[in-house]
Amino acid sequence: MMRLLALPLIILLATSLAAEEELPQNPSEPEPLEIEPPLLIQQDPTHGALPSTPGVAPEVDLERMQVALEKAKKSAASGERLFRAGIIAKIEAENRAFKVVRLTADLANARLEVAKKNLAALQSRDAAEISQAELEQATNALAAADRDAAEATAQRQKAELDAAFVNLQRQKKLLALGSGRKSEVSRAEEKIATLQQQKN
């Protein structure tokens, strides 16, 4: 009976001795155990904006802008659902919602430019060629476009400021957890100050 118990005990002892021999003998150079947290790179909310060349007035394609706005609205609606399901991050859902606000403001400003061009084109024609009704209609369209553009621009500024405050809170939390940097917090504070100066 003792022999039956001794055999597995000897095998276990031999295996543990062989395993000890394989371990490194020089513990003076321990491997670093610190793991750096991943960088949280935030995407610029203006990423994907329509390119513009300074000094050159681009041709306004209202249909293309309207299609882009509809796609952004669908993406924002699905973004909220995907965030609740845990598929995308909250910041991605926020960026999708901000893109809708930005494209709405861009479309309203483009419509304002088109209304200005239409009124200028009417006024450049001879007074005998245009009727008073056409001129009134163009003037009313310009006033409505101006109102819509001002409202959309105000909403965009408010959304930018709200996003900047959320980003500041996020950066402060990351700094408190040890994953953030003081430079990111100060950059977020500078962004808020710049946006508040632009608003005033």
Side-chain angles (χ1 to χ4, degrees), residues 11-171:
I11 292 174
L12 181 64
L13 186 60
T15 309
S16 65
L17 287 174
E20 282 181 16
E21 290 175 5
E22 293 175 10
L23 292 175
Q25 299 299 325
N26 189 2
S28 64
E29 297 177 15
E31 293 184 22
L33 296 177
E34 283 189 37
I35 299 174
E36 288 192 32
L39 291 177
L40 299 174
I41 301 172
Q42 297 194 2
Q43 187 177 10
D44 185 13
T46 59
H47 178 71
L50 298 174
S52 61
T53 308
V56 177
E59 288 296 318
V60 178
D61 188 0
L62 293 178
E63 277 186 38
R64 185 171 58 92
M65 292 178 82
Q66 185 68 39
V67 168
L69 178 61
E70 293 303 319
K71 284 183 182 177
K73 284 181 180 178
K74 289 178 184 176
S75 177
S78 68
E80 185 63 31
R81 181 177 44 82
L82 291 174
F83 165 66
R84 279 187 264 125
I87 298 171
I88 63 171
K90 185 173 185 177
I91 194 164
E92 176 64 26
E94 291 169 356
N95 285 342
R96 289 180 182 197
F98 179 73
K99 186 175 182 181
V100 171
V101 174
R102 181 179 51 79
L103 288 176
T104 301
D106 290 346
L107 181 61
N109 288 326
R111 286 180 176 157
L112 176 62
E113 290 301 315
V114 168
K116 284 179 182 177
K117 287 179 183 177
N118 288 344
L119 183 61
L122 275 177
Q123 289 174 342
S124 67
R125 289 172 30 193
D126 288 336
E129 292 180 11
I130 52 173
S131 66
Q132 188 66 24
E134 283 180 318
L135 192 59
E136 271 185 36
Q137 185 179 8
T139 306
N140 291 340
L142 178 62
D146 190 32
R147 241 184 350 264
D148 292 344
E151 182 181 324
T153 301
Q155 287 178 352
R156 179 179 181 167
Q157 288 174 345
K158 182 184 180 310
E160 285 176 344
L161 195 58
D162 291 346
F165 276 115
V166 168
N167 183 41
L168 177 62
Q169 295 303 317
R170 189 173 285 136
Q171 293 302 328

